[in-house]
Amino acid sequence: MKSTKTYYNTYNNIGGYAYQWWTSEIKLSDDKIIAFYFALGYMGQYICIVPDLKMTIAIVSRLDNTLYLLNIIKKFIVQINQ
């Protein structure tokens, strides 16, 4: 989809940016990469789509550290692929 293709490289710990979507990927091995995209809202509101796993993750929170939740999402994706 055009709206989830990375157009801007941003912060290394977050990923890229598209049209209102952040884009990222997790390298599980030399031959397996899981790409995902997500919307990030105020105080840790997330919508995360992982197409290869046919998975959608929604998080509602009130955290000041919103990147903490992104790290949890990444760890979860890695764990279910092991």
Side-chain angles (χ1 to χ4, degrees):
M1 278 192 316
K2 188 175 182 178
S3 67
T4 57
K5 177 184 172 202
T6 301
Y7 290 95
Y8 305 101
N9 290 318
T10 61
Y11 311 99
N12 289 335
N13 58 341
I14 296 177
Y17 195 70
Y19 292 112
Q20 304 298 318
W21 290 102
W22 293 93
T23 60
S24 191
E25 57 185 27
I26 299 169
K27 185 175 182 178
L28 298 174
S29 65
D30 287 340
D31 60 340
K32 186 165 185 179
I33 296 174
I34 298 289
F36 64 97
Y37 53 95
F38 59 96
L40 172 59
Y42 179 69
M43 293 189 80
Q45 314 303 309
Y46 275 88
I47 302 168
C48 179
I49 313 294
V50 189
D52 290 344
L53 302 177
K54 297 178 181 162
M55 177 187 300
T56 301
I57 302 167
I59 298 175
V60 178
S61 76
R62 293 185 52 85
L63 295 176
D64 291 332
N65 183 356
T66 59
L67 294 183
Y68 171 76
L69 292 172
L70 180 59
N71 290 330
I72 289 175
I73 291 169
K74 288 180 179 181
K75 286 179 186 178
F76 176 74
I77 292 169
V78 169
Q79 286 178 354
I80 64 173
N81 279 284
Q82 292 180 351

Coordinates of all heavy atoms in Angstrom, one line a residue:
M1 N 0.8 -1.2 0.0 CA 0.0 0.0 0.0 C 0.9 1.2 0.0 O 1.9 1.3 0.7 CB -0.9 0.0 1.3 CG -2.1 -0.8 1.1 SD -3.3 -0.6 2.4 CE -2.4 -0.5 3.9
K2 N 0.5 2.2 -0.7 CA 1.2 3.4 -0.8 C 1.3 4.2 0.5 O 2.3 4.8 0.8 CB 0.6 4.3 -1.9 CG 1.3 5.6 -2.2 CD 0.7 6.3 -3.3 CE 1.5 7.5 -3.7 NZ 1.0 8.3 -4.8
S3 N 0.2 4.1 1.3 CA 0.2 4.9 2.6 C 1.1 4.3 3.6 O 1.4 4.9 4.6 CB -1.2 5.0 3.1 OG -1.7 3.7 3.5
T4 N 1.6 3.1 3.5 CA 2.5 2.4 4.5 C 3.9 2.2 3.9 O 4.6 1.5 4.6 CB 1.8 1.1 5.0 OG1 1.6 0.2 3.9 CG2 0.5 1.4 5.7
K5 N 4.2 2.7 2.8 CA 5.6 2.6 2.3 C 6.4 3.7 2.9 O 6.0 4.9 3.0 CB 5.5 2.8 0.7 CG 6.9 2.8 0.1 CD 6.8 3.1 -1.4 CE 8.2 3.2 -1.9 NZ 8.2 4.0 -3.2
T6 N 7.6 3.4 3.4 CA 8.4 4.4 4.0 C 8.9 5.4 3.0 O 9.5 5.2 2.0 CB 9.7 3.7 4.6 OG1 9.3 2.7 5.6 CG2 10.6 4.7 5.3
Y7 N 8.6 6.7 3.4 CA 9.0 7.8 2.6 C 10.1 8.6 3.3 O 10.9 9.3 2.6 CB 7.8 8.7 2.3 CG 6.9 8.1 1.3 CD1 5.7 7.4 1.8 CD2 7.1 8.1 -0.1 CE1 4.9 6.8 0.9 CE2 6.2 7.5 -0.9 CZ 5.1 6.8 -0.5 OH 4.3 6.2 -1.3
Y8 N 10.1 8.6 4.6 CA 11.1 9.4 5.4 C 11.8 8.4 6.4 O 11.1 7.8 7.1 CB 10.4 10.5 6.1 CG 9.7 11.4 5.2 CD1 8.3 11.3 5.1 CD2 10.3 12.4 4.4 CE1 7.6 12.1 4.2 CE2 9.6 13.2 3.5 CZ 8.2 13.1 3.4 OH 7.5 13.9 2.6
N9 N 13.1 8.4 6.4 CA 13.8 7.7 7.5 C 13.8 8.6 8.7 O 14.2 9.8 8.5 CB 15.2 7.3 7.0 CG 15.1 6.2 6.0 OD1 14.4 5.3 6.1 ND2 16.0 6.3 4.9
T10 N 13.5 8.1 9.8 CA 13.4 8.9 11.0 C 14.4 8.4 12.0 O 15.5 8.0 11.7 CB 12.0 8.9 11.6 OG1 11.6 7.6 11.9 CG2 11.0 9.5 10.5
Y11 N 13.9 8.2 13.2 CA 14.7 7.8 14.3 C 15.0 6.3 14.2 O 14.1 5.5 13.9 CB 14.1 8.1 15.7 CG 13.6 9.5 15.8 CD1 12.2 9.8 15.5 CD2 14.4 10.5 16.1 CE1 11.8 11.1 15.6 CE2 14.0 11.8 16.2 CZ 12.7 12.1 15.9 OH 12.2 13.4 16.0
N12 N 16.2 5.8 14.5 CA 16.6 4.4 14.4 C 15.7 3.5 15.3 O 15.4 2.4 15.0 CB 18.1 4.2 14.7 CG 19.0 4.7 13.7 OD1 18.5 4.8 12.5 ND2 20.2 5.1 14.0
N13 N 15.4 4.0 16.5 CA 14.6 3.2 17.4 C 13.1 3.2 17.1 O 12.4 2.4 17.7 CB 14.8 3.7 18.9 CG 14.5 5.1 19.1 OD1 14.4 5.9 18.2 ND2 14.3 5.5 20.3
I14 N 12.7 4.0 16.2 CA 11.2 4.0 15.8 C 11.1 3.4 14.5 O 10.3 2.5 14.3 CB 10.6 5.4 15.9 CG1 10.7 6.0 17.3 CG2 9.2 5.4 15.3 CD1 10.2 7.4 17.4
G15 N 11.7 3.9 13.5 CA 11.6 3.4 12.1 C 11.4 4.5 11.1 O 11.9 5.6 11.3
G16 N 10.7 4.3 10.1 CA 10.4 5.3 9.0 C 9.0 5.9 9.2 O 8.3 5.6 10.1
Y17 N 8.7 6.8 8.3 CA 7.4 7.4 8.3 C 6.8 7.4 6.9 O 7.5 7.6 5.9 CB 7.5 8.9 8.8 CG 6.2 9.5 9.2 CD1 5.5 9.0 10.4 CD2 5.6 10.5 8.5 CE1 4.3 9.5 10.7 CE2 4.4 11.0 8.8 CZ 3.8 10.5 9.9 OH 2.5 11.1 10.3
A18 N 5.5 7.2 6.9 CA 4.8 7.2 5.6 C 3.7 8.3 5.7 O 4.0 9.4 6.2 CB 4.2 5.8 5.4
Y19 N 2.5 8.0 5.2 CA 1.4 8.9 5.3 C 0.6 8.6 6.6 O -0.3 7.7 6.6 CB 0.5 8.8 4.1 CG 1.1 9.3 2.8 CD1 1.4 8.4 1.8 CD2 1.4 10.6 2.6 CE1 2.0 8.8 0.6 CE2 2.0 11.0 1.4 CZ 2.3 10.1 0.4 OH 2.8 10.6 -0.7
Q20 N 0.9 9.3 7.7 CA 0.3 9.1 9.0 C 0.6 7.7 9.6 O 0.0 7.4 10.6 CB -1.2 9.3 8.9 CG -1.7 10.6 8.3 CD -1.2 11.8 9.2 OE1 -1.3 11.7 10.4 NE2 -0.7 12.8 8.5
W21 N 1.5 7.0 9.0 CA 1.9 5.7 9.6 C 3.4 5.7 9.8 O 4.1 6.1 9.0 CB 1.5 4.5 8.7 CG 0.1 4.2 8.5 CD1 -0.7 4.6 7.4 CD2 -0.8 3.5 9.4 NE1 -2.0 4.2 7.6 CE2 -2.0 3.5 8.8 CE3 -0.6 2.9 10.6 CZ2 -3.1 2.9 9.4 CZ3 -1.6 2.3 11.2 CH2 -2.9 2.3 10.7
W22 N 3.8 5.1 10.9 CA 5.2 4.8 11.2 C 5.5 3.4 10.6 O 4.6 2.6 10.6 CB 5.5 4.8 12.7 CG 5.4 6.2 13.3 CD1 4.3 6.7 13.9 CD2 6.4 7.2 13.3 NE1 4.5 8.0 14.3 CE2 5.8 8.3 14.0 CE3 7.7 7.3 12.8 CZ2 6.5 9.5 14.2 CZ3 8.4 8.5 13.1 CH2 7.8 9.5 13.7
T23 N 6.6 3.2 10.1 CA 7.0 1.9 9.5 C 8.2 1.3 10.2 O 9.1 2.1 10.5 CB 7.2 2.0 8.0 OG1 8.3 2.9 7.8 CG2 6.0 2.5 7.3
S24 N 8.2 0.1 10.4 CA 9.4 -0.6 11.0 C 9.5 -2.0 10.6 O 8.6 -2.5 10.0 CB 9.2 -0.5 12.6 OG 10.4 -0.8 13.2
E25 N 10.6 -2.7 11.0 CA 10.7 -4.1 10.8 C 11.6 -4.7 11.8 O 12.4 -4.0 12.5 CB 11.3 -4.3 9.4 CG 12.6 -3.7 9.1 CD 13.1 -3.9 7.7 OE1 12.3 -4.1 6.8 OE2 14.3 -3.8 7.5
I26 N 11.5 -6.0 12.0 CA 12.3 -6.7 12.9 C 13.0 -7.8 12.2 O 12.3 -8.6 11.5 CB 11.4 -7.4 14.0 CG1 10.6 -6.3 14.8 CG2 12.2 -8.2 15.0 CD1 9.5 -6.8 15.7
K27 N 14.3 -7.9 12.3 CA 15.1 -8.9 11.6 C 15.2 -10.1 12.6 O 15.8 -10.0 13.6 CB 16.5 -8.4 11.3 CG 17.3 -9.4 10.5 CD 18.6 -8.8 10.1 CE 19.4 -9.8 9.2 NZ 20.6 -9.3 8.8
L28 N 14.5 -11.2 12.3 CA 14.5 -12.4 13.1 C 15.7 -13.3 12.8 O 16.2 -13.9 13.7 CB 13.2 -13.2 12.9 CG 11.9 -12.4 13.3 CD1 10.7 -13.3 12.9 CD2 11.9 -12.1 14.8
S29 N 16.1 -13.3 11.5 CA 17.3 -14.1 11.1 C 17.7 -13.5 9.8 O 17.2 -12.5 9.3 CB 16.9 -15.6 10.9 OG 16.0 -15.7 9.9
D30 N 18.8 -14.1 9.2 CA 19.3 -13.6 7.9 C 18.3 -13.6 6.8 O 18.3 -12.8 5.9 CB 20.5 -14.3 7.5 CG 21.7 -14.0 8.4 OD1 21.7 -12.9 9.0 OD2 22.7 -14.8 8.4
D31 N 17.3 -14.6 6.9 CA 16.4 -14.7 5.8 C 14.9 -14.4 6.2 O 14.0 -14.6 5.4 CB 16.4 -16.1 5.2 CG 16.1 -17.2 6.3 OD1 16.2 -16.9 7.5 OD2 15.8 -18.3 5.8
K32 N 14.7 -13.9 7.4 CA 13.3 -13.6 7.9 C 13.3 -12.2 8.5 O 13.9 -12.0 9.6 CB 12.8 -14.7 8.8 CG 11.4 -14.5 9.2 CD 10.7 -15.7 9.8 CE 9.3 -15.4 10.0 NZ 8.6 -16.6 10.6
I33 N 12.5 -11.4 7.9 CA 12.2 -10.0 8.4 C 10.7 -9.8 8.5 O 10.0 -10.1 7.5 CB 12.9 -8.9 7.5 CG1 14.4 -9.1 7.5 CG2 12.4 -7.6 7.9 CD1 15.1 -8.2 6.5
I34 N 10.3 -9.4 9.6 CA 8.9 -9.1 9.8 C 8.7 -7.6 9.8 O 9.2 -6.8 10.6 CB 8.4 -9.6 11.2 CG1 8.5 -11.1 11.3 CG2 6.9 -9.2 11.4 CD1 7.6 -11.9 10.5
A35 N 8.0 -7.1 8.8 CA 7.7 -5.7 8.6 C 6.3 -5.4 9.3 O 5.4 -6.2 9.3 CB 7.6 -5.3 7.1
F36 N 6.2 -4.2 9.8 CA 4.9 -3.8 10.4 C 4.8 -2.3 10.3 O 5.8 -1.6 10.1 CB 4.8 -4.3 11.9 CG 5.8 -3.7 12.8 CD1 5.4 -2.7 13.7 CD2 7.0 -4.3 13.0 CE1 6.3 -2.1 14.6 CE2 7.9 -3.8 13.9 CZ 7.6 -2.7 14.7
Y37 N 3.6 -1.8 10.5 CA 3.4 -0.3 10.5 C 2.4 0.0 11.7 O 1.7 -0.9 12.1 CB 2.9 0.2 9.2 CG 1.7 -0.5 8.6 CD1 0.5 0.1 8.8 CD2 1.9 -1.6 7.8 CE1 -0.6 -0.5 8.2 CE2 0.8 -2.2 7.2 CZ -0.5 -1.7 7.5 OH -1.6 -2.3 6.9
F38 N 2.5 1.2 12.1 CA 1.7 1.6 13.3 C 1.4 3.1 13.3 O 2.1 3.9 12.8 CB 2.4 1.1 14.6 CG 3.8 1.8 14.8 CD1 3.9 2.9 15.6 CD2 4.9 1.2 14.3 CE1 5.2 3.5 15.8 CE2 6.2 1.7 14.5 CZ 6.3 2.9 15.3
A39 N 0.3 3.3 14.0 CA -0.1 4.7 14.3 C 0.2 4.9 15.8 O -0.1 4.0 16.6 CB -1.6 4.9 14.0
L40 N 0.7 6.1 16.1 CA 1.1 6.4 17.5 C 0.4 7.6 17.9 O 0.5 8.7 17.2 CB 2.6 6.5 17.6 CG 3.2 7.0 18.8 CD1 2.9 6.1 20.0 CD2 4.7 7.2 18.7
G41 N -0.4 7.5 19.0 CA -1.1 8.7 19.4 C -0.6 9.2 20.8 O 0.3 8.6 21.4
Y42 N -1.3 10.1 21.3 CA -1.0 10.8 22.6 C -1.0 9.8 23.7 O -1.9 9.0 23.9 CB -2.0 11.9 22.8 CG -1.8 12.6 24.1 CD1 -0.8 13.5 24.3 CD2 -2.7 12.5 25.2 CE1 -0.6 14.2 25.4 CE2 -2.5 13.2 26.4 CZ -1.5 14.0 26.5 OH -1.3 14.7 27.7
M43 N 0.1 9.8 24.5 CA 0.3 9.0 25.7 C 0.3 7.5 25.5 O -0.2 6.8 26.3 CB -0.6 9.4 26.8 CG -0.4 10.8 27.3 SD -1.3 11.3 28.8 CE -0.3 10.4 30.0
G44 N 0.7 7.1 24.3 CA 0.9 5.7 24.1 C -0.4 5.0 23.5 O -0.6 3.8 23.7
Q45 N -1.1 5.7 22.7 CA -2.2 5.0 22.0 C -1.6 4.4 20.7 O -1.0 5.2 19.9 CB -3.3 6.0 21.6 CG -3.7 7.0 22.8 CD -4.2 6.2 24.0 OE1 -5.0 5.4 23.9 NE2 -3.6 6.6 25.1
Y46 N -1.8 3.1 20.5 CA -1.2 2.5 19.3 C -2.2 1.7 18.5 O -3.1 1.1 19.1 CB -0.1 1.4 19.8 CG 1.2 2.0 20.0 CD1 1.6 2.5 21.3 CD2 2.2 2.0 19.1 CE1 2.9 3.0 21.5 CE2 3.5 2.5 19.3 CZ 3.8 3.0 20.5 OH 5.1 3.4 20.8
I47 N -2.0 1.7 17.2 CA -2.6 0.7 16.3 C -1.4 0.2 15.5 O -0.7 0.9 14.9 CB -3.6 1.4 15.4 CG1 -4.7 2.1 16.1 CG2 -4.2 0.3 14.4 CD1 -5.6 2.9 15.2
C48 N -1.2 -1.1 15.7 CA -0.1 -1.7 15.0 C -0.6 -2.9 14.1 O -1.4 -3.7 14.5 CB 0.9 -2.3 16.1 SG 2.3 -3.1 15.4
I49 N -0.2 -2.9 12.9 CA -0.6 -3.9 11.9 C 0.7 -4.7 11.5 O 1.7 -4.1 11.1 CB -1.2 -3.2 10.6 CG1 -2.2 -2.1 11.0 CG2 -1.7 -4.2 9.6 CD1 -3.4 -2.6 11.6
V50 N 0.6 -6.0 11.6 CA 1.7 -6.9 11.2 C 1.1 -7.8 10.1 O 0.5 -8.8 10.3 CB 2.2 -7.7 12.4 CG1 3.4 -8.5 12.0 CG2 2.4 -6.9 13.6
P51 N 1.2 -7.4 8.8 CA 0.6 -8.1 7.7 C 1.0 -9.5 7.6 O 0.1 -10.4 7.3 CB 1.0 -7.3 6.4 CG 1.3 -5.9 6.9 CD 1.9 -6.1 8.3
D52 N 2.3 -9.9 7.7 CA 2.8 -11.2 7.6 C 2.1 -12.2 8.6 O 2.0 -13.4 8.3 CB 4.3 -11.3 7.7 CG 5.0 -10.7 6.5 OD1 4.3 -10.5 5.4 OD2 6.2 -10.4 6.6
L53 N 1.8 -11.7 9.7 CA 1.2 -12.5 10.8 C -0.4 -12.3 10.8 O -1.0 -12.9 11.7 CB 1.8 -12.1 12.1 CG 3.3 -12.3 12.3 CD1 3.7 -11.8 13.6 CD2 3.7 -13.7 12.0
K54 N -0.9 -11.5 9.9 CA -2.3 -11.2 9.9 C -2.8 -10.8 11.3 O -3.8 -11.3 11.8 CB -3.1 -12.5 9.4 CG -2.8 -12.8 8.0 CD -3.5 -14.0 7.5 CE -3.1 -14.3 6.1 NZ -3.4 -15.6 5.7
M55 N -2.1 -9.8 11.8 CA -2.3 -9.4 13.2 C -2.5 -7.9 13.3 O -1.8 -7.1 12.6 CB -1.1 -9.8 14.1 CG -1.1 -9.4 15.5 SD 0.4 -9.7 16.4 CE 0.5 -11.5 16.2
T56 N -3.4 -7.5 14.2 CA -3.6 -6.1 14.5 C -3.5 -6.0 16.0 O -4.1 -6.8 16.8 CB -5.0 -5.6 14.1 OG1 -5.1 -5.8 12.6 CG2 -5.2 -4.2 14.4
I57 N -2.7 -5.1 16.5 CA -2.6 -4.8 17.9 C -3.1 -3.4 18.2 O -2.7 -2.5 17.6 CB -1.1 -5.0 18.4 CG1 -0.5 -6.3 18.0 CG2 -0.9 -4.7 19.8 CD1 1.0 -6.4 18.1
A58 N -4.0 -3.3 19.2 CA -4.4 -2.0 19.6 C -4.1 -1.8 21.1 O -4.4 -2.7 21.9 CB -5.9 -1.9 19.4
I59 N -3.5 -0.7 21.5 CA -3.2 -0.4 22.9 C -3.7 1.0 23.3 O -3.5 1.9 22.5 CB -1.6 -0.5 23.1 CG1 -1.1 -1.8 22.7 CG2 -1.3 0.0 24.5 CD1 0.4 -1.9 22.8
V60 N -4.4 1.0 24.4 CA -4.8 2.2 25.0 C -4.1 2.4 26.3 O -4.1 1.5 27.1 CB -6.3 2.2 25.3 CG1 -6.8 3.5 25.9 CG2 -7.1 2.0 24.0
S61 N -3.4 3.5 26.5 CA -2.6 3.7 27.7 C -2.5 5.2 28.1 O -3.1 6.0 27.4 CB -1.2 3.2 27.5 OG -0.4 4.0 26.8
R62 N -1.9 5.4 29.2 CA -1.7 6.8 29.7 C -0.2 6.9 30.2 O 0.1 7.4 31.2 CB -2.6 7.1 30.8 CG -4.1 7.2 30.4 CD -5.0 7.6 31.5 NE -4.6 8.8 32.1 CZ -4.9 10.1 31.7 NH1 -5.6 10.3 30.6 NH2 -4.5 11.1 32.4
L63 N 0.7 6.4 29.3 CA 2.1 6.4 29.7 C 2.8 7.6 29.1 O 2.5 8.0 27.9 CB 2.8 5.2 29.2 CG 2.4 3.9 29.9 CD1 3.1 2.7 29.2 CD2 2.7 3.9 31.3
D64 N 3.7 8.2 29.8 CA 4.5 9.3 29.3 C 5.6 8.8 28.3 O 5.9 9.4 27.3 CB 5.2 10.1 30.4 CG 4.2 10.9 31.2 OD1 3.2 11.3 30.7 OD2 4.5 11.1 32.4
N65 N 6.1 7.6 28.6 CA 7.1 7.0 27.7 C 6.5 6.1 26.7 O 6.3 4.9 26.9 CB 8.1 6.2 28.6 CG 9.3 5.6 27.8 OD1 9.3 5.7 26.6 ND2 10.2 5.0 28.5
T66 N 6.1 6.6 25.6 CA 5.4 5.8 24.5 C 6.3 4.8 23.8 O 5.8 3.9 23.3 CB 4.7 6.8 23.5 OG1 5.7 7.6 22.9 CG2 3.7 7.7 24.2
L67 N 7.6 5.1 23.8 CA 8.5 4.1 23.2 C 8.6 2.8 24.0 O 9.0 1.8 23.4 CB 9.9 4.7 23.0 CG 9.9 5.9 22.0 CD1 11.3 6.4 21.8 CD2 9.3 5.5 20.6
Y68 N 8.3 2.9 25.2 CA 8.3 1.7 26.1 C 7.3 0.7 25.5 O 7.6 -0.5 25.4 CB 7.9 2.0 27.5 CG 7.6 0.9 28.4 CD1 8.7 0.1 28.9 CD2 6.3 0.5 28.8 CE1 8.4 -1.0 29.7 CE2 6.1 -0.5 29.6 CZ 7.1 -1.3 30.1 OH 6.9 -2.4 30.9
L69 N 6.1 1.1 25.1 CA 5.1 0.2 24.5 C 5.6 -0.3 23.1 O 5.3 -1.4 22.8 CB 3.8 1.0 24.4 CG 3.1 1.3 25.7 CD1 1.9 2.2 25.5 CD2 2.7 0.0 26.4
L70 N 6.3 0.5 22.3 CA 6.8 0.0 21.1 C 7.8 -1.1 21.3 O 7.7 -2.1 20.5 CB 7.4 1.2 20.3 CG 8.0 0.8 18.9 CD1 6.9 0.2 18.0 CD2 8.7 2.0 18.3
N71 N 8.6 -1.0 22.3 CA 9.5 -2.1 22.6 C 8.8 -3.4 23.0 O 9.2 -4.5 22.6 CB 10.5 -1.7 23.6 CG 11.5 -0.6 23.1 OD1 11.8 -0.6 21.9 ND2 11.9 0.3 24.0
I72 N 7.7 -3.2 23.7 CA 6.9 -4.4 24.1 C 6.3 -5.0 22.9 O 6.3 -6.3 22.8 CB 5.8 -4.0 25.2 CG1 6.5 -3.7 26.5 CG2 4.8 -5.1 25.3 CD1 5.5 -3.1 27.5
I73 N 5.8 -4.2 22.0 CA 5.2 -4.8 20.8 C 6.3 -5.5 20.0 O 6.0 -6.7 19.5 CB 4.6 -3.6 19.9 CG1 3.4 -3.0 20.6 CG2 4.3 -4.1 18.5 CD1 2.9 -1.8 19.9
K74 N 7.5 -5.0 19.8 CA 8.5 -5.7 19.1 C 8.9 -7.0 19.8 O 9.1 -8.0 19.1 CB 9.7 -4.8 19.0 CG 9.5 -3.6 18.0 CD 10.8 -2.7 18.0 CE 10.6 -1.6 17.0 NZ 11.8 -0.8 16.9
K75 N 9.0 -7.0 21.1 CA 9.4 -8.2 21.8 C 8.3 -9.3 21.6 O 8.6 -10.4 21.5 CB 9.6 -7.9 23.3 CG 10.9 -7.2 23.6 CD 11.0 -6.9 25.1 CE 12.3 -6.1 25.3 NZ 12.4 -5.7 26.7
F76 N 7.0 -8.8 21.6 CA 5.9 -9.8 21.5 C 6.0 -10.4 20.1 O 5.8 -11.6 19.9 CB 4.6 -9.0 21.7 CG 3.4 -9.9 21.4 CD1 3.0 -10.8 22.3 CD2 2.6 -9.7 20.2 CE1 1.9 -11.6 22.1 CE2 1.5 -10.4 20.0 CZ 1.1 -11.4 20.9
I77 N 6.2 -9.6 19.0 CA 6.3 -10.1 17.7 C 7.5 -11.1 17.6 O 7.3 -12.2 17.0 CB 6.5 -9.0 16.7 CG1 5.2 -8.1 16.6 CG2 6.9 -9.5 15.3 CD1 5.4 -6.8 15.8
V78 N 8.6 -10.9 18.2 CA 9.7 -11.8 18.2 C 9.3 -13.1 18.9 O 9.6 -14.2 18.4 CB 11.0 -11.1 18.8 CG1 12.0 -12.2 19.1 CG2 11.5 -10.0 18.0
Q79 N 8.7 -13.0 20.1 CA 8.4 -14.2 20.8 C 7.4 -15.1 20.1 O 7.5 -16.3 20.2 CB 7.8 -13.8 22.2 CG 8.8 -13.3 23.2 CD 8.2 -12.8 24.5 OE1 7.0 -12.8 24.6 NE2 9.0 -12.5 25.4
I80 N 6.4 -14.6 19.4 CA 5.5 -15.4 18.7 C 6.0 -16.1 17.5 O 5.4 -16.9 16.9 CB 4.1 -14.7 18.4 CG1 4.3 -13.6 17.5 CG2 3.4 -14.3 19.7 CD1 3.0 -13.0 17.0
N81 N 7.2 -15.6 17.1 CA 7.9 -16.2 15.9 C 9.0 -17.1 16.3 O 9.7 -17.6 15.4 CB 8.5 -15.0 15.0 CG 7.4 -14.4 14.1 OD1 7.0 -15.0 13.2 ND2 6.9 -13.3 14.5
Q82 N 9.1 -17.5 17.5 CA 10.1 -18.4 17.9 C 9.6 -19.8 18.2 O 8.5 -20.0 18.4 CB 10.8 -17.9 19.2 CG 11.6 -16.7 18.9 CD 12.3 -16.2 20.2 OE1 12.1 -16.6 21.3 NE2 13.2 -15.2 20.0

